[in-house]
Amino acid sequence: MVPGTRIELVQPYGRGILSPLRLPVPPPGQNIYSSAIINAIANKVSTGGFHVQTKATCPHCGKKITLYRNPLPTVDIIIQIGEKIILIERQKPPHGWALPGGFVDYGESLEAAALREAREETGLEVSNLRQFRAYSDPERDPRQHNISIVFCADAVGRPTAGDDAKNVRLFAVDELPALLCFDHARIIDDYLAAKK
């Protein structure tokens, strides 16, 4: 896209009629809307019934470009201290206990994202980071379609809540909270089964 490209988010309203929501041209100093920004915009408004694609029109040639909304990559980290697992109590919806984790930043590797999220949410530097599995069920996160790449790691010390964590605790695997956010109960079950 060239400077001045206008983005349209297509919103269905009644009997299949589509209503475009036009966004202003990119802010000064930013030549284009990146696909990451478009995805983020589409994800923000998805709960309002917006279609899963965005359309951009070039003001110079008039060409229409369809940009598809893709799942967003996230990381979750199973951090063990001894025989216990660290869980955070989420500060933002959905509320409840969860594995530390979050979204991968643009230009960041999965490993770097896992290390950063562990540090931000638990205050710990982890070691022995290794990839476990990926979880991609479109219904795993009530907010939008997120794909999580799950890592395992070890740590020492006392975790302290930070960033999006309201609280952080060490849990024995047989004393986990009854309800965990997202599909984290399944992830932990898979992890414990793989360790046997």
Side-chain angles (χ1 to χ4, degrees), residues 52-87:
V52 294
Q53 58 188 352
T54 56
K55 295 197 179 288
T57 304
C58 176
H60 303 287
C61 70
K63 182 178 179 181
K64 291 219 180 257
I65 303 165
T66 300
L67 301 162
Y68 293 92
R69 182 176 166 212
N70 298 316
L72 297 176
T74 65
V75 292
D76 290 303
I77 313 101
I78 301 167
I79 304 171
Q80 280 201 257
I81 295 181
E83 295 300 312
K84 295 187 175 183
I85 292 175
I86 296 176
L87 295 179

Side-chain angles (χ1 to χ4, degrees), residues 2 23 86 104 136 142:
V2 297
L23 299 176
I86 296 176
V104 179
S136 61

Side-chain angles (χ1 to χ4, degrees), residues 26-188:
Q30 183 178 330
N31 291 334
I32 62 169
Y33 282 109
S34 70
S35 60
I37 291 172
I38 292 166
N39 273 335
I41 293 167
N43 283 323
K44 290 278 187 197
V45 297
S46 65
T47 55
F50 285 83
H51 201 263
V52 294
Q53 58 188 352
T54 56
K55 295 197 179 288
T57 304
C58 176
H60 303 287
C61 70
K63 182 178 179 181
K64 291 219 180 257
I65 303 165
T66 300
L67 301 162
Y68 293 92
R69 182 176 166 212
N70 298 316
L72 297 176
T74 65
V75 292
D76 290 303
I77 313 101
I78 301 167
I79 304 171
Q80 280 201 257
I81 295 181
E83 295 300 312
K84 295 187 175 183
I85 292 175
I86 296 176
L87 295 179
I88 63 155
E89 187 177 10
R90 290 177 52 83
Q91 203 162 141
K92 297 177 182 175
H95 297 290
W97 290 95
L99 292 166
F103 292 96
V104 179
D105 289 339
Y106 188 83
E108 183 178 47
S109 71
L110 295 171
E111 293 79 6
L115 294 171
R116 175 182 54 76
E117 288 290 348
R119 185 172 48 256
E120 288 176 356
E121 294 189 346
T122 71
L124 297 174
E125 297 292 338
V126 299
S127 61
N128 194 22
L129 184 72
R130 58 222 182 264
Q131 196 174 118
F132 176 56
R133 290 186 185 165
Y135 292 81
S136 61
D137 185 335
E139 304 299 320
R140 65 176 299 275
D141 189 326
R143 300 168 298 178
Q144 67 224 357
H145 185 185
N146 293 329
I147 296 174
S148 180
I149 295 80
V150 179
F151 287 85
C152 308
D154 301 315
V156 294
R158 183 175 177 170
T160 55
D163 195 33
D164 292 336
K166 181 166 85 173
N167 193 7
V168 62
R169 279 185 47 197
L170 282 166
F171 288 90
V173 294
D174 57 350
E175 295 176 353
L176 297 173
L179 292 174
L180 295 175
C181 294
F182 314 116
D183 55 355
H184 290 188
R186 177 188 168 195
I187 291 171
I188 293 171

